[in-house]
Amino acid sequence: MQLQEILYSQGFGTRRVCAGMIQQGLVQVYGPEQGLAPVTITQSAMEFVAEGLQFRVQGVDWPYAERAYLMLHKPAGTECSQKPSTYPSIYTLLPSPLRLRPQKAAVQGVQAVGRLDQDTTGMLLLTDDGKFIHRMSSPKHHVPKVYEVTVKHPLDEKQVSKLLSGVVLDDDPKPVRAAACEAVSEFHLRMTLTEGKYHQVKRMLAAVSNRVEGLHRSSIGGVALPADLPPGGWRWLTAEEIVAVQSKG
C-alpha cells in the first residue's frame, strides 16, 4: 500500500494532505528490526506492507491498525456524545487522527461502545469497527460489566439479596437482576451487570431504597481498567484484550 494511502486510512487527513506531509519530511517509518531509528520517507507513493507497520508523524509514534480498538478511562464531567449539551465530549480527549479515521458512515473516526453518564467514570471502549459495536451492544451478548458503586445509605444483606434476586424498574414488569453483587464496605457496592438499560445501576439502587452517590465502571468482559491509566487517558487494546473484552466470563 502506498504510504499516503496508509496515512489517509489512519485519519491523518485527505490523500493530498497526507502526500504533502510525506513530501515535507514529516513522516518516518520504522524498519522490521527492533531498536533501529525510523527513516524519513519523502516519496508519498512508496509502498509498504501495512500490517504491522510502525511509523512516526510529526514526532509521534503510531502503529498501523486496520481497525482501531481503544480503551479510555472516562473522567467525570464528560459526555459520550459527538455533540455534547453541557459538558466537554470524551472525543476531545483523543488525538485528531483517531477522530478523523475515514468511515463509510456519515460520522468519521472511532465511536464509543455504549455510553456512560456525564458523572460516571471508568472504562469505556471505542472503535471504528461497526460489527464489534453491534456485537458488544446486543442484548443477546451478555458481556459482564463490573461497577464500583458508592451509595448514600449503609448497605445491608437485604439490599444485596434483592439486587441478586431481581428488582422491577418502572418501565418494565420483568425483573432485572445483578449477575453478581457484594458489599465491599458499608457504602461501597461492587455489582456486575450483563445487560445495559438506561440508568440501570441508579434505578436498581433506588428500587432497594438506596441512592448512588458515585459510579465507576472497573471492567468489561475479561478486561479490567488498568491502575496506571489515569482519568482522561487512553490506549490501544492488545489483540488478546480484544478477544477477552468480549468474553462472557
Side-chain angles (χ1 to χ4, degrees):
M1 191 188 295
Q2 291 185 359
L3 186 56
Q4 63 185 358
E5 286 289 330
I6 291 173
L7 292 192
Y8 167 73
S9 75
Q10 303 301 287
F12 287 93
T14 64
R15 290 175 176 86
R16 189 172 180 177
V17 166
C18 292
M21 285 197 299
I22 295 165
Q23 289 158 11
Q24 291 172 48
L26 300 176
V27 180
Q28 299 168 297
V29 174
Y30 286 88
E33 294 183 39
Q34 295 289 325
L36 293 180
V39 176
T40 300
I41 307 295
T42 55
Q43 293 174 294
S44 58
M46 185 175 284
E47 299 213 343
F48 293 88
V49 175
E51 189 64 37
L53 188 70
Q54 300 280 333
F55 55 94
R56 180 180 289 180
V57 180
Q58 293 180 300
V60 179
D61 287 341
W62 289 87
Y64 172 82
E66 184 177 0
R67 286 279 176 261
Y69 302 91
L70 315 173
M71 173 196 301
L72 173 74
H73 185 165
K74 181 190 175 295
T78 54
E79 293 184 31
C80 297
S81 172
Q82 297 278 5
K83 297 179 180 178
S85 57
T86 309
Y87 297 88
S89 168
I90 56 159
Y91 296 101
T92 62
L93 300 169
L94 302 174
S96 63
L98 294 174
R99 304 197 306 268
L100 298 175
R101 288 171 67 94
Q103 287 267 58
K104 291 178 182 177
V107 180
Q108 302 301 292
V110 297
Q111 307 299 313
V113 181
R115 295 190 170 200
L116 294 176
D117 294 341
Q118 61 85 12
D119 56 348
T120 301
T121 63
M123 187 172 171
L124 192 66
L125 302 177
L126 299 104
T127 183
D128 58 353
D129 181 346
K131 290 181 180 178
F132 180 87
I133 292 174
H134 178 75
R135 191 162 58 247
M136 291 293 287
S137 304
S138 169
K140 297 177 183 178
H141 201 56
H142 299 304
V143 175
K145 300 177 178 71
V146 179
Y147 295 87
E148 310 297 330
V149 191
T150 303
V151 297
K152 183 173 184 178
H153 307 295
L155 294 160
D156 58 40
E157 288 183 18
K158 190 176 177 182
Q159 290 179 14
V160 174
S161 178
K162 275 187 181 178
L163 291 167
L164 285 168
S165 60
V167 295
V168 176
L169 304 182
D170 52 19
D171 64 344
D172 190 351
K174 185 182 176 183
V176 293
R177 57 181 59 83
C181 192
E182 63 170 315
V184 179
S185 65
E186 192 177 16
F187 296 96
H188 177 187
L189 183 74
R190 180 170 294 134
M191 185 159 68
T192 302
L193 299 179
T194 56
E195 52 190 326
K197 292 181 178 290
Y198 182 69
H199 287 166
Q200 185 172 345
V201 176
K202 294 175 181 176
R203 293 161 68 204
M204 287 179 73
L205 265 295
V208 296
S209 303
N210 212 320
R211 179 174 167 172
V212 173
E213 296 283 280
L215 188 57
H216 176 85
R217 185 157 68 192
S218 56
S219 73
I220 300 174
V223 180
L225 185 69
D228 61 355
L229 187 65
W234 68 275
R235 71 164 174 78
W236 298 90
L237 290 179
T238 65
E240 293 77 18
E241 285 173 336
I242 293 167
V243 174
V245 83
Q246 301 176 69
S247 69
K248 299 179 184 181

